[in-house]
């Protein structure tokens, strides 16, 4: 009897591990299908496939979770950019768990398409001194004011958040971020 229970438990465990693998692969398969739909110009169907990728996500490790989050939101960014829905494109980038200079550059591309390159550079140059940092639940954004309570919004990278934590400056003080941003690849693409 004891041997029968061990066999049943082993079969159960083996079956469940294969299901986890299958579900994770389904997420990646859904992303591949979404990319193909995107390339064909079927943006609404591509967004549905992205939703499927999230539904099928069954990650057993953090890397899978982070990768699927990155890939799905990057695909959303591409779709919304093609549809000229720049706010949704930026929201997709903000939904990525972390930020990088590449993500900042993509975000600048949406602001540039929406506002124009010269106007965007002018807004940044004249208002970055008035920028502020707002944090909620360990996620911080730098906000550059422009045009009646509107802000250019950039997510701080983990590296920048760590710089704030290791310095005496509070995250609300934007000096560290301003210096980083004015020397970033994203800002340099406006020159």
């Amino acid at each position: 009897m004891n041997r029968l229970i061990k066999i049943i438990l082993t079969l159960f465990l083996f079956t469940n591990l294969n299901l986890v693998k299958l579900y994770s692969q389904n997420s990646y398969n859904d992303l591949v299908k979404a990319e193909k739909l995107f390339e064909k110009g079927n943006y609404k169907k591509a967004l549905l496939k992205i939703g499927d990728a999230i539904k099928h996500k069954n990650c057993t490790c953090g890397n899978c979770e982070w990768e699927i989050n990155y890939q799905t939101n990057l695909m959303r960014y591409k779709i919304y950019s093609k549809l000229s829905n720049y706010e949704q494109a930026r929201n997709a980038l903000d939904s990525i768990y972390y930020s990088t200079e590449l993500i900042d550059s993509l975000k600048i591309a949406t602001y540039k398409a929406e506002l124009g390159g010269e106007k965007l550079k002018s807004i940044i140059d004249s208002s970055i001194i008035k920028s502020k940092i707002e944090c909620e639940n360990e996620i911080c954004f730098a906000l550059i004011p422009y045009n009646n309570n509107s802000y250019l919004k950039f997510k701080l990278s983990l590296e920048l958040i760590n710089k704030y934590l290791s310095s005496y400056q509070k995250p609300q003080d934007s000096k560290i971020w301003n210096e980083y941003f004015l020397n970033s690849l994203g800002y340099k693409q406006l020159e």
Side-chain angles (χ1 to χ4, degrees):
M1 183 70 166
N2 200 11
R3 192 173 215 191
L4 180 61
I5 292 173
K6 285 183 181 178
I7 292 171
I8 291 171
L9 286 174
T10 303
L11 286 172
F12 178 75
L13 181 62
F14 178 74
T15 304
N16 282 338
L17 287 176
N18 282 335
L19 285 174
V20 166
K21 210 183 234 185
L22 178 69
Y23 278 120
S24 293
Q25 288 174 345
N26 281 344
S27 289
Y28 292 110
N29 290 337
D30 288 333
L31 285 168
V32 169
K33 290 175 185 174
E35 183 72 38
K36 287 178 182 175
L37 289 165
F38 171 77
E39 288 170 2
K40 291 178 182 177
N42 295 330
Y43 304 129
K44 289 183 181 180
K45 286 183 180 179
L47 285 171
L48 291 173
K49 270 297 161 199
I50 292 168
D52 289 346
I54 293 167
K55 276 191 270 183
H56 292 140
K57 179 179 65 176
N58 192 359
C59 297
T60 57
C61 67
N63 287 344
C64 169
E65 172 74 30
W66 284 61
E67 183 64 22
I68 291 172
N69 168 268
Y70 180 79
Q71 292 297 329
T72 56
N73 285 302
L74 195 58
M75 180 60 67
R76 283 183 176 145
Y77 160 79
K78 289 169 145 182
I79 292 167
Y80 289 125
S81 291
K82 277 286 190 188
L83 295 171
S84 299
N85 188 337
Y86 301 117
E87 186 174 351
Q88 283 292 84
R90 288 189 292 270
N91 288 340
L93 293 174
D94 287 342
S95 295
I96 295 175
Y97 292 150
Y98 54 89
S99 186
T100 63
E101 276 197 79
L102 170 65
I103 293 171
D104 282 351
S105 293
L106 295 175
K107 206 168 221 198
I108 286 173
T110 66
Y111 284 123
K112 193 174 177 181
E114 189 174 3
L115 302 169
E118 287 181 31
K119 183 175 181 182
L120 178 60
K121 186 170 181 349
S122 173
I123 290 168
I124 292 170
D125 290 345
S126 65
S127 300
I128 197 161
I129 289 176
K130 298 177 240 164
S131 69
K132 61 183 178 177
I133 307 293
E134 288 187 355
C135 299
E136 187 175 317
N137 298 329
E138 299 176 14
I139 297 173
C140 297
F141 288 94
L143 305 171
I144 301 174
Y146 81 99
N147 198 21
N148 299 335
N149 294 330
S150 295
Y151 293 92
L152 303 176
K153 182 177 168 186
F154 296 92
K155 191 174 196 178
L156 270 66
S157 67
L158 294 174
E159 179 184 324
L160 280 172
I161 292 170
N162 286 335
K163 279 186 180 181
Y164 274 108
L165 294 175
S166 65
S167 78
Y168 294 107
Q169 294 180 357
K170 295 180 181 176
Q172 289 76 20
D173 183 355
S174 62
K175 286 180 188 175
I176 292 174
W177 183 82
N178 291 355
E179 184 178 314
Y180 154 80
F181 186 76
L182 292 174
N183 291 302
S184 72
L185 296 173
Y187 179 74
K188 288 180 181 170
Q189 75 188 32
L190 294 174
E191 296 175 344

